Amino acid sequence: MDNIREQLKAVGARYNKSLPHYDACIQLVSAAYRKLEDDADFAAYGRFAGKPAVDYYTFSNNFFTSRPVRPDIYISSYDELIHSIEQLSRSLENRPSRLNNEDIETSNRVVYTAVMSVACCYDLWQRGSRKTPGTFFEFLMAALLQKMLPAAVFSKHISLASLLNDTETGEGVPVDIEALESDEEEGGAASVSTDLVIGMPDRRGGVVIPLKITTRERIVQPFAHQRILNSAFGEAAYQSLLVCISETQLDEKTRSVKQVCVPGTVKLFQKYLAPIGGLYYCDIPQRYFAADMQKIIPVKSVGDFFRDLAKIMELNGQL
Amino acid sequence: MDNIREQLKAVGARYNKSLPHYDACIQLVSAAYRKLEDDADFAAYGRFAGKPAVDYYTFSNNFFTSRPVRPDIYISSYDELIHSIEQLSRSLENRPSRLNNEDIETSNRVVYTAVMSVACCYDLWQRGSRKTPGTFFEFLMAALLQKMLPAAVFSKHISLASLLNDTETGEGVPVDIEALESDEEEGGAASVSTDLVIGMPDRRGGVVIPLKITTRERIVQPFAHQRILNSAFGEAAYQSLLVCISETQLDEKTRSVKQVCVPGTVKLFQKYLAPIGGLYYCDIPQRYFAADMQKIIPVKSVGDFFRDLAKIMELNGQL
């Protein structure tokens, strides 16, 4: 596990310096996947009592049980994983706006397997680091999107300092939404940081990509941020695509899995805060896939996300 | 500790059945306060490097250290605590809209001491129950407000079902914001639940009171909820008063305390989501008390909260 922790640190160091970090991500995923193969059991845990029921597995060692994993999405052999990663990488480089159904399924499974293998290693062997799997999700998506959009301008913040015309914040100092909430400290600047922002070179605006492993009460953030961006830059400037994994909770008593969903909340936010462009999941919760939700907000797979984003960038002359 | 856990359970049971629970709250606080006196050390831990610096103490036993506590706000003897509780109870019953400065300071210290004593017991002897102190904060505030406003209608939800005119939610089914986010499950109803809502008998609307021990990324919720309420019922119907405690974090390495603040975020939310009526803290973070914040949102003590709320209710003919 020391090895995996070190590799993750190295990925983060490269990412923070804006150095290419795709290869380092894939090496880390390989190591995590193999560690689970070698040192953990992967077996049925319980089901989500939906229509139809959904089976979940968990990884376990002698001491701990991992978060629930969908065996139908998690890639089941190392060779297939490596092959699928290569396929994804090729299709993102060559035809991201024309991904076919097979490409879409492959990308979805690769992202799921990559993120869940790292997350489950942390569940079993490094339980103190609760936020790390989410951080890795961000690293991985940034790596894949940089492959897909080599000319795009990526950032983590949208400066909103000009909205707050008080002297303290200072013009030009970034005011950033999520840093707003997490990193902004006393006296710090204000901004709207939303995990990943892909800018448009010829105009203000772009695509905001919040990335979350389980949303919980944080589901409100992308809608609130979109609202602020609309107020700040007009409704056409930015659009948000929310990308998520694993909206689940183990119930140890009944050995079952809950898909934790708040469809009414999401509908309210979409209608009364600000509409976002889509809700993308590797493992779409059943309740979110229903027709009443789709009427109000597009709910699709993370495979679809790559194609939708590529199309947006193509429309903006970026691809 | 079994005793304290049982008492808290009993308070919750009464609260959920809408039975009077003030006496049970005070008994629990007495037990928690005395357990800390008897079984824990209370000593200086470190300071927040503000201007001026702020000293923080912690409770500790042989195994654990509690969250940071402000010794200048935490009441320092059991006799003074009991005396202050009686004073608070009398002033809330008799003249809540005319609390004087001494009443305000006393109420603030009572709420702080009561909530922190229960929270610190959980920090030292029941570390698994992370959410319990926040739940007790809600119980206690409800008990005090019921004393102050015996005729008011309290609830935990604002029905928003009519906003979502889809058949599944069903008219009359409550759609509630925080339940939205926490309790709402698959297929469940949607609503805006915001800890405490005090209704107005003769019209739709009221005062929404979100209660939080540390806000973290949840600071966005009250503003987002206010925005939805404005959309749903017009801007005059509801106002939100956010009541908080303990925006702090221990730094074990340097034995210092951080006041975790996001002033830029709060300003953005207040300006671009929806303005709330005030931000009330037992232990106001220094950064939030500054003039640039006060220009945009009133930031006051929880003692002031009681008087402000009483005045609002008085204006509405409720007191």
Side-chain angles (χ1 to χ4, degrees):
Chain A
M1 191 64 202
D2 287 356
N3 171 33
I4 287 168
R5 222 170 33 234
E6 286 308 312
Q7 286 192 50
L8 183 54
K9 221 182 269 179
V11 171
R14 294 189 67 84
Y15 178 66
N16 289 330
K17 288 186 202 149
S18 301
L19 294 171
H21 64 291
Y22 175 84
D23 291 342
C25 275
I26 301 307
Q27 277 163 32
L28 167 59
V29 168
S30 302
Y33 189 94
R34 297 206 115 157
K35 176 154 181 67
L36 288 169
E37 268 190 340
D38 293 347
D39 300 339
D41 281 332
F42 188 49
Y45 181 91
R47 30 179 48 186
F48 166 64
K51 289 177 189 169
V54 181
D55 284 316
Y56 283 92
Y57 278 38
T58 52
F59 290 97
S60 57
N61 58 16
N62 289 335
F63 305 101
F64 299 112
T65 300
S66 76
R67 66 195 67 200
V69 176
R70 290 269 301 260
D72 53 328
I73 307 178
Y74 191 86
I75 293 171
S76 60
S77 84
Y78 182 73
D79 289 346
E80 189 191 341
L81 174 63
I82 296 307
H83 178 257
S84 299
I85 288 174
E86 282 163 9
Q87 190 187 332
L88 168 59
S89 163
R90 266 196 313 276
S91 56
L92 290 185
E93 281 173 340
N94 297 328
R95 49 185 158 88
S97 67
R98 287 167 289 117
L99 297 182
N100 60 33
N101 289 348
E102 193 200 327
D103 296 328
I104 284 176
E105 199 194 328
T106 301
S107 0
N108 197 58
R109 296 186 67 186
V110 166
V111 172
Y112 186 75
T113 306
V115 174
M116 293 304 267
S117 62
V118 171
C120 291
C121 280
Y122 275 76
D123 289 346
L124 296 186
W125 294 292
Q126 188 74 31
R127 294 178 66 83
S129 305
R130 290 177 63 210
K131 288 187 171 177
T132 307
T135 307
F136 176 66
F137 184 28
E138 187 177 326
F139 296 159
L140 177 73
M141 290 301 288
L144 293 170
L145 295 179
Q146 282 163 5
K147 231 177 196 348
M148 179 171 114
L149 305 165
V153 181
F154 288 80
S155 62
K156 292 170 62 68
H157 309 280
I158 298 167
S159 172
L160 297 175
S162 60
L163 293 184
L164 296 175
N165 47 3
D166 55 359
T167 47
E168 182 160 1
T169 305
E171 213 180 319
V173 180
V175 178
D176 127 274
I177 277 191
E178 194 157 300
L180 278 187
E181 287 146 17
S182 51
D183 309 321
E184 190 202 0
E185 299 274 286
E186 332 87 54
S191 66
V192 179
S193 136
T194 65
D195 300 341
L196 276 183
V197 184
I198 303 179
M200 299 295 169
D202 51 340
R203 63 169 174 88
R204 199 145 71 159
V207 182
V208 174
I209 305 167
L211 297 159
K212 304 205 185 289
I213 300 185
T214 76
T215 57
R216 308 264 159 95
E217 64 254 300
R218 295 171 303 149
I219 188 95
V220 65
Q221 288 175 4
F223 298 89
H225 296 173
Q226 180 69 51
R227 173 94 216 168
I228 292 175
L229 294 171
N230 290 355
S231 301
F233 304 110
E235 303 210 349
Y238 286 95
Q239 69 176 295
S240 303
L241 307 179
L242 173 57
V243 181
C244 306
I245 295 186
S246 184
E247 214 68 91
T248 56
Q249 217 175 332
L250 279 189
D251 187 330
E252 286 176 26
K253 277 187 204 150
T254 61
R255 279 189 78 91
S256 65
V257 173
K258 281 191 201 165
Q259 293 185 348
V260 183
C261 291
V262 290
T265 312
V266 170
K267 288 181 200 171
L268 282 176
F269 291 166
Q270 180 76 353
K271 282 182 153 183
Y272 295 105
L273 279 180
I276 64 171
L279 189 50
Y280 298 90
Y281 275 94
C282 284
D283 48 345
I284 305 178
Q286 212 168 72
R287 183 61 189 82
Y288 285 167
F289 200 61
D292 64 309
M293 281 290 286
Q294 299 273 8
K295 263 197 306 196
I296 292 175
I297 184 171
V299 181
K300 306 186 193 179
S301 81
V302 171
D304 293 300
F305 162 75
F306 290 109
R307 188 169 62 185
D308 287 357
L309 175 62
K311 284 183 176 171
I312 292 171
M313 297 309 283
E314 210 171 54
L315 277 173
N316 283 278
Q318 296 305 301
L319 200 76
Chain B
M1 191 66 202
D2 287 355
N3 171 32
I4 287 168
R5 222 170 31 234
E6 286 309 312
Q7 285 192 51
L8 183 54
K9 221 183 268 179
V11 171
R14 293 189 68 84
Y15 178 65
N16 289 329
K17 287 185 203 149
S18 301
L19 294 170
H21 65 290
Y22 174 84
D23 292 341
C25 275
I26 302 305
Q27 277 163 32
L28 166 59
V29 168
S30 304
Y33 189 95
R34 297 206 114 157
K35 177 156 181 68
L36 289 168
E37 269 190 339
D38 293 348
D39 300 340
D41 282 332
F42 188 49
Y45 182 90
R47 29 180 49 186
F48 165 65
K51 287 176 190 168
V54 182
D55 284 315
Y56 283 93
Y57 278 38
T58 51
F59 290 97
S60 57
N61 58 15
N62 289 333
F63 306 100
F64 300 112
T65 300
S66 75
R67 64 195 67 199
V69 175
R70 290 270 299 263
D72 54 327
I73 307 177
Y74 191 85
I75 293 171
S76 60
S77 83
Y78 181 74
D79 289 346
E80 188 191 342
L81 174 63
I82 296 307
H83 178 258
S84 299
I85 288 173
E86 282 162 9
Q87 191 187 331
L88 167 60
S89 163
R90 266 196 314 276
S91 55
L92 290 185
E93 281 173 341
N94 297 328
R95 49 186 157 90
S97 65
R98 287 167 290 117
L99 297 182
N100 60 33
N101 288 348
E102 193 201 325
D103 295 329
I104 283 176
E105 199 194 328
T106 301
S107 358
N108 197 58
R109 295 186 67 186
V110 166
V111 172
Y112 186 74
T113 306
V115 174
M116 293 305 267
S117 62
V118 172
C120 291
C121 280
Y122 276 76
D123 289 346
L124 297 186
W125 295 292
Q126 188 72 34
R127 295 178 65 83
S129 304
R130 290 178 63 209
K131 288 188 172 177
T132 307
T135 308
F136 175 67
F137 183 27
E138 187 178 326
F139 296 159
L140 177 73
M141 291 301 288
L144 292 170
L145 295 178
Q146 282 163 6
K147 231 177 193 353
M148 178 171 113
L149 305 165
V153 181
F154 289 79
S155 62
K156 293 170 61 66
H157 308 280
I158 298 166
S159 171
L160 297 174
S162 60
L163 293 184
L164 296 175
N165 48 3
D166 55 1
T167 47
E168 182 159 359
T169 305
E171 213 179 319
V173 180
V175 178
D176 126 273
I177 278 191
E178 194 157 300
L180 278 186
E181 288 146 18
S182 52
D183 310 320
E184 190 202 0
E185 299 273 287
E186 331 87 53
S191 66
V192 179
S193 137
T194 65
D195 300 342
L196 276 183
V197 184
I198 302 178
M200 299 296 170
D202 51 338
R203 62 170 174 88
R204 200 145 69 157
V207 181
V208 174
I209 306 167
L211 297 159
K212 305 205 184 289
I213 300 186
T214 78
T215 57
R216 308 265 157 96
E217 63 255 300
R218 296 171 302 150
I219 189 96
V220 65
Q221 288 174 4
F223 298 89
H225 297 173
Q226 181 68 51
R227 172 95 216 167
I228 292 174
L229 293 170
N230 290 356
S231 301
F233 304 110
E235 304 210 348
Y238 286 95
Q239 69 177 295
S240 303
L241 307 178
L242 173 56
V243 182
C244 307
I245 295 186
S246 184
E247 215 69 91
T248 55
Q249 217 176 329
L250 279 189
D251 186 331
E252 287 176 24
K253 278 187 204 148
T254 60
R255 277 188 81 89
S256 66
V257 173
K258 281 191 201 166
Q259 293 186 348
V260 183
C261 291
V262 289
T265 312
V266 170
K267 288 180 197 170
L268 281 177
F269 291 166
Q270 180 76 353
K271 282 183 153 183
Y272 295 105
L273 278 180
I276 65 171
L279 188 52
Y280 298 89
Y281 276 93
C282 283
D283 47 346
I284 306 179
Q286 213 168 70
R287 183 61 190 81
Y288 285 166
F289 199 60
D292 63 308
M293 281 290 285
Q294 298 274 9
K295 262 196 309 195
I296 292 176
I297 185 170
V299 181
K300 305 187 194 178
S301 81
V302 171
D304 293 300
F305 163 75
F306 290 108
R307 186 169 63 186
D308 287 357
L309 175 63
K311 284 183 176 171
I312 292 171
M313 298 308 285
E314 211 171 52
L315 277 173
N316 283 278
Q318 297 305 299
L319 199 76

